Amino acid sequence: MKNIDFKDKKALIRVDFNVPLDKNYNITDDTRIQAALPTIQYILDNGGAVILMSHLGRPLKKLNEDGSINVAKFTLKHTVNRLSESLGRPVQFVTETVGNAASAAASALKAGEVLVLENTRFQKEESKGDESFAKQLAALGDIYINDAFGTAHRAHASTTTVAQFFDADSKSFGFLLNKELENAKKVTENPARPLTSIVGGAKVSDKILLLDKMIEFVDNLIIGGGMAYTFMKAQGGNIGHSLCEEDKLDLALNLLEKAKARGVKVYLPEDSIAADQFSESADKQAAASNDIPDGYMGLDIGPKAIESFKEVVLASKTIVWNGPMGVFEMESYAKGTKTIAETVAAATQKGAFSLIGGGDSVAAVKTMKLDDQVSYVSTGGGAMLELLEGKVLPGVKAISEEK
Ligand code: AMP
């Protein structure tokens, strides 16, 4: 982005302003807006004007009863005041994404001014990656910047198709997207070793590609959370009522064999906190993860697992973590996830590079206020997962291809 001259130019920036709102449409977490500020500010400081486009929620999936769009709920106007406060300057808003009003507002924009377009997902063409819609968007600006890492894995009009209407010198990643790519590379390209991947969460099926790819380049693979029990059962363990994907038992064994063949050490939780109900008030006991009593389910990793996982994490030089170790939303089953978060922070303190790769592990690290004690917390769950799976994101390809 620093090679582009923004003076008196209009930069069309795809940001990710898909922020959570309360029932009165107040923003409850403005992390995504804050994360986009450096790019916006840089362009304004360098004499440009800024036109922002983003989606907010899934308006076309949640239509009003009469089939119309619930504009009151999904308008991007909800982000304007917070953006204006953060930038310390007025921000204009237009109630169209493309069309006469959007074109007029864009062409009247002067250097130093900021315009927010209406929600890109008000148009059904957005998620189809429609060319003529993308062309109309492209006509609004002189330069295209993609800083929406959270949607870079989607081949939508504003994230991907639009880029083809700008020549190689007039399009670029923003600072946030660039930072995400650089941090992912620290894991996937020449990482400091030992490299440990911690994978947790509910299902093996959601993380098959991740596990498969990780086995190709990590030294240690720690598997926790609900998905660990499919591995336990595949190896002949009794897992009681724990989460299990019966149709993934063979796959689990194949992954373990592949890991063995490649010399990757796999760490499954030796023990678990087993509960007789999915609730705080359940009867709980520590049990071997391959010998969970009938009627009980493993809802967190147990004390022995915590100790062995800690040891591996503390000896690592690169750590990538995706998915909680247990049902961390309930205090009784949060200890495994909390301890891993603290241990990743401690390893970082000792000089390791740590990447918190999206989803619920991000929530855990943030709730514990450890987000500034790890090396990098990704802003995009699905996008980071796909990067780590070795995929080239469509939003990234669209900009880098012709460069
Ligand atoms: P994911 O979105 O796949 O990363 O999964 C996150 C969800 O997995 C969280 O809501 C956790 O409560 C859930 N989870 C983690 N461990 C378990 C477990 N042992 N049993 C059931 N659910 C779990």
Side-chain angles (χ1 to χ4, degrees), residues 301-336:
I301 56 174
K304 290 183 192 158
I306 287 180
E307 282 316 307
S308 81
F309 289 4
K310 260 171 88 173
E311 205 176 301
V312 178
V313 172
L314 285 172
S316 303
K317 288 279 184 294
T318 306
I319 303 155
V320 53
W321 180 20
N322 184 303
M325 296 290 98
V327 185
F328 75 111
E329 297 92 334
M330 288 191 249
E331 189 56 37
S332 307
Y333 315 108
K335 189 168 180 201

Side-chain angles (χ1 to χ4, degrees), residues 86-143:
S86 306
L87 289 170
R89 67 177 81 206
V91 170
Q92 303 172 35
F93 175 74
V94 59
T95 55
E96 276 184 357
T97 319
V98 292
N100 290 341
S103 299
S107 66
L109 211 61
K110 295 190 204 57
E113 293 184 340
V114 181
L115 169 69
V116 175
L117 303 174
E118 185 54 284
N119 195 336
T120 51
R121 286 196 190 159
F122 280 9
Q123 312 283 327
K124 64 178 182 326
E125 293 84 0
E126 163 72 338
S127 55
K128 293 185 178 148
D130 182 79
E131 273 197 26
S132 74
F133 172 54
K135 197 171 178 182
Q136 284 178 278
L137 285 171
L140 301 174
D142 308 304
I143 293 163

